[in-house]
Each structure stands twice: as C-alpha cells, then as structure tokens.
Amino acid sequence: MGKYLLRRLAINVILVALAASLAYMLAATTMNPRGAYEGRQPPVAEAVIDATLDEYNLNDKTPVLVRYGTWAKGVVTGDFGRTWNGGSVNNEMGRRIMVSLRLLLIGTLVGFAVGVALGAISAVKQYKLTDRFIGVSSFVIMAVPVFVLATLLAIATYNLNRGLGFSLIEYTGEYNPRLSGFDQFLNRLNHLILPTISLSLGLIAFYSRIQRNMMLDVLNQDFVRTAMAKGLRRRTALTKHALRTALIPAATYFAFAFGTMFTGATFTEKIFAWHGMGAWLVDSINQNDVNSVAAVTFFTAVCVLFAAFLSDLLVAALDPRVRVS
C-alpha cells in the first residue's frame, strides 16, 4: 500500500507540474500585460513600462522560455510571482483559496451523498412515481447550465426576501463584516446556502443517474438474494451489499466531477459575489495577468489530482478485491 501511495504521489506531482507549465506557456504567449500600461493619460514612457514588466517577469520582449524559467524557479521555492499591478500572487492566492475550498468541498460532498441516495431510491422504486420524478428532475437540471441555475436561484431568493420583508436567505457576498463571533458564523452558513445548492444540483442529478443504473445492475445479483435468504432484511441487504457494490463505479467519477465543479464554481462565485479562485481566474484573464492565471491553474490541478487520489482510495475501501502493492 505504501509503495502504491508513493507511486501515485510521484505521478500526481509530475502531472501538476505539467499542467501548470502548459497553462503558463499558453497565458504568456497569448496575453498582453503591456496593454494595462499603454494608452494611459499622461502617457507612460516605454522604458518605464519595460522596467516595470521586467520587475514582474511579464515583459513580452523577454523570450517566453526565459520568463518561464524565472517563474518555475520561483514556484519551486514557493513564490508564484507578482500580479500585473505589482501585488503578491501568494498573498492573493492565500486569501482566496479557503473561499473556494469551502464552496467546492461542501458542494462535492453534498452532491455525492444526495445524488447517490436519490439514485439508490430511484432504483429500488423502479418505474414508480418516485423514480420518474427523480429521473425527469435530473435530466432537466443537467440540461440547464450552472450560471442559469445560479441566476434563477438568486432571483427567486430576492423575491422571497422581498415578499417576507426580511432576508431569510442571503444571496450575495460571503458574510456580513459587521457581525462577529457566533453571529458571523451563522451568517457565513446562511451565505453558503445558495452557492452550495447551485453547485451541487448538477452533481446530484449526475450521480443519481449513475447510481440508479449501477443499483439496477446489482439488485438481482445472486449475492443480494443469498444475503436475504440467510435472513437479512431487504433494507439491510440493499444497503450493506447492493449499495456498497454499486458505489464502486460512482467513486471512479469523483475526480472528474470535482473538475467539473471548479468550472461551475467560477460562474457561481461571480454571480454570488464570492471572491474565490474562480472569480480571480476570470478577473486575471480580463487583466492579462499571466502569473495569476498560472497560479489558479496550479491550484486547480492540485485539487483535481487530489480528488483522483481520494477516488482510488475510496474504490480500494469499497472493493476488497482490489489489491495494491
């Protein structure tokens, strides 16, 4: 097991380095940080612009491989460079990482747990009203883009709060800075409701369809009938044997679902005014901020590959036939 984990870790480190390097090269060759300084009034001397961009390692007159070497050397030592206006990428990333992780982790766990549960229920209630309702709802949700769902939720919540005369559910921002202590904790949870729902709905629909099909494949298997023949109640047999076996394929999708979640989080953070990594990526692209784009890509690669690592462990825990050396 130890050798397997070390091998997976080494492969993931290589993949993270490759993903971040490709993102940097793409951003450095397509973006134009110089445009942020040109056209100002009064005009900025070209020599001043060059000196500023050299200081931030953003000068397009410097060969891209030289810039990449400088950036990579800094990343190895934990320094992701400067933003287009001279700020620290490390400080900005440190401030935003927990914002996104809070949203991504909760959304992923809620989506996985609720989706698997609904899929199992749908399979057990095959062709009944419950199954049809879950199926239709899932396909409708999967057909609607995340940014549309988030916008509809924000509009519906705004109208609900206006009708009630008070803010039952917050629909913008991360928290109220005027509160403190336990009140602020509750306020943060309130602000988390809508973004989590908008992110997890698509995941719930996705997992419910997968889990339903997997459950249907194992419900009539011999090992399930044998368990009930030995005296286990149907519910116990379904939960302990059928559901555990049917979870194995769903667990393999965990990493891919997490990557999709980050894409959805980008829109969700912008719509609900959360200042996380997704919103930073959009702002960085608009500002031609090469180092920030590379930093967000690095963070995304680490998250996706960590999710893949957890997926491998989950499959190994669920399936006793899996043996790693």
Side-chain angles (χ1 to χ4, degrees), residues 99-288:
V99 175
S100 290
L101 284 181
R102 183 164 72 244
L103 197 57
L104 289 169
L105 290 176
I106 295 176
T108 300
L109 294 176
V110 170
F112 182 81
V114 177
V116 165
L118 289 179
I121 293 171
S122 186
V124 173
K125 303 288 186 181
Q126 186 181 18
Y127 300 136
K128 295 183 179 179
L129 181 61
T130 302
D131 178 31
R132 298 185 186 279
F133 176 76
I134 294 174
V136 172
S137 300
S138 298
F139 285 120
V140 170
I141 291 173
M142 285 190 290
V144 180
V146 174
F147 63 88
V148 175
L149 282 174
T151 303
L152 291 176
L153 285 171
I155 293 173
T157 304
Y158 170 77
N159 291 327
L160 174 65
N161 291 344
R162 188 174 64 173
L164 293 174
F166 64 95
S167 295
L168 177 65
I169 301 176
E170 302 290 347
Y171 59 91
T172 184
E174 302 167 39
Y175 63 96
N176 187 343
R178 291 175 294 181
L179 301 176
S180 60
F182 188 67
D183 289 336
Q184 189 181 95
F185 173 74
L186 293 178
N187 185 257
R188 285 179 179 271
L189 292 180
N190 196 328
H191 281 84
L192 192 60
I193 293 174
L194 283 187
T196 301
I197 291 175
S198 66
L199 268 183
S200 60
L201 275 178
L203 206 58
I204 290 171
F206 175 73
Y207 272 118
S208 69
R209 294 297 85 202
I210 292 177
Q211 193 60 34
R212 178 185 183 274
N213 294 335
M214 296 302 103
M215 278 289 288
L216 289 176
D217 287 340
V218 301
L219 281 179
N220 295 319
Q221 294 291 325
D222 291 340
F223 68 90
V224 178
R225 290 199 297 267
T226 301
M228 289 189 289
K230 288 183 176 180
L232 281 182
R233 292 185 301 172
R234 185 171 184 268
R235 177 178 298 179
T236 304
L238 291 177
T239 305
K240 188 175 180 180
H241 296 283
L243 180 59
R244 178 172 179 170
T245 303
L247 267 175
I248 296 172
T252 61
Y253 287 95
F254 191 79
F256 303 103
F258 194 89
T260 305
M261 282 282 287
F262 185 82
T263 304
T266 300
F267 297 105
T268 302
E269 288 177 3
K270 293 297 289 184
I271 291 171
F272 292 107
W274 278 55
H275 303 292
M277 299 293 283
W280 188 27
L281 176 62
V282 176
D283 294 338
S284 299
I285 293 173
N286 290 332
Q287 295 164 349
N288 292 298

Side-chain angles (χ1 to χ4, degrees), residues 45-69:
E46 185 173 356
V48 175
I49 296 177
D50 287 336
T52 302
L53 293 178
D54 282 335
E55 182 182 356
Y56 303 157
N57 191 38
L58 296 172
N59 196 340
D60 55 342
K61 294 181 180 179
T62 303
V64 66
L65 290 179
V66 175
R67 282 179 279 154
Y68 169 76

Side-chain angles (χ1 to χ4, degrees), residues 29-53:
T29 54
T30 58
M31 293 182 174
N32 180 29
R34 182 178 297 274
Y37 299 92
E38 293 177 337
R40 290 186 176 183
Q41 293 297 330
V44 181
E46 185 173 356
V48 175
I49 296 177
D50 287 336
T52 302
L53 293 178

